[in-house]
Amino acid sequence: MSEFVDALIAEGPVAEHSGELALFGRFVGEWQVDNRSLIESTGEWVESRFRWMFAWILDGRGVQDVIVGANERAGGTTLRIFDPTLDAWRVYWFGVAGGDYCDLRGAADGPDAILLDGTQTDGRRIRWRFSGITADSFAWDGRVSDDGGASWWLEQHMDARRVR
């Protein structure tokens, strides 16, 4: 298995696109997250805490993360690959524990934010936004649209603090 890990994990970004790769590369490391998620069926907000780990992958051409819950098991992973033909990021979330899958495109939204738009498993539009990004912290909001993007409601909010 170590050969697989060695082939997947990279030391840093590929030089060819290092500027573009820095957008998500700044998250490489480990973060502690305070999370609030809305249970849509009841309108109740649930709080949790987990670790969010990011690493360079595929010879430094992308960034992958894994979310690890209190039970020390992975709840999901996101692949982020910069696509120079789009001048944007292709982002795929695999929430295998809950059967959630998302396909998004992302780009910078000013100097300290990243905006991603896409669709989730049920076909609804989603919008994810990293904001207030510093070397040691950021916020993340997940929004959903039930009307094709005319209006949005907050489904999840995270505050992250760098651990490593």
Side-chain angles (χ1 to χ4, degrees):
M1 189 54 80
S2 66
E3 288 180 41
F4 177 86
V5 172
D6 291 343
L8 178 64
I9 303 298
E11 292 296 317
V14 63
E16 178 183 1
H17 297 290
S18 61
E20 294 90 344
L21 292 166
L23 186 68
F24 282 106
R26 59 185 147 178
F27 297 123
V28 169
E30 184 176 337
W31 302 79
Q32 178 178 304
V33 175
D34 291 319
N35 179 63
R36 292 185 66 226
S37 296
L38 179 66
I39 300 173
E40 191 175 350
S41 61
T42 66
E44 176 186 2
W45 285 91
V46 177
E47 295 183 4
S48 61
R49 180 173 276 178
F50 55 82
R51 291 184 302 141
W52 200 356
M53 297 177 284
F54 294 75
W56 290 107
I57 60 166
L58 303 173
D59 292 328
R61 297 182 186 282
V63 175
Q64 184 170 358
D65 75 46
V66 63
I67 291 175
V68 178
N71 60 4
E72 293 300 313
R73 302 202 50 122
T77 189
T78 309
L79 298 175
R80 296 173 179 86
I81 308 296
F82 179 72
D83 184 341
T85 62
L86 294 175
D87 194 30
W89 286 78
R90 293 179 181 269
V91 178
Y92 304 97
W93 158 251
F94 301 94
V96 295
D100 300 318
Y101 305 96
C102 302
D103 178 0
L104 305 106
R105 300 294 174 267
D109 186 29
D112 69 345
I114 302 169
L115 184 62
L116 302 103
D117 281 296
T119 57
Q120 62 187 18
T121 307
D122 62 9
R124 292 190 291 180
R125 296 254 330 260
I126 55 172
R127 180 169 285 162
W128 293 352
R129 188 168 191 267
F130 291 83
S131 62
I133 302 168
T134 70
D136 296 315
S137 65
F138 65 86
W140 182 97
D141 286 314
R143 297 186 181 274
V144 176
S145 177
D146 294 317
D147 55 16
S151 63
W152 299 88
W153 53 273
L154 183 65
E155 176 182 49
Q156 185 176 7
H157 174 82
M158 296 187 268
D159 290 307
R161 182 179 53 82
R162 186 179 291 278
V163 176
R164 288 185 246 188

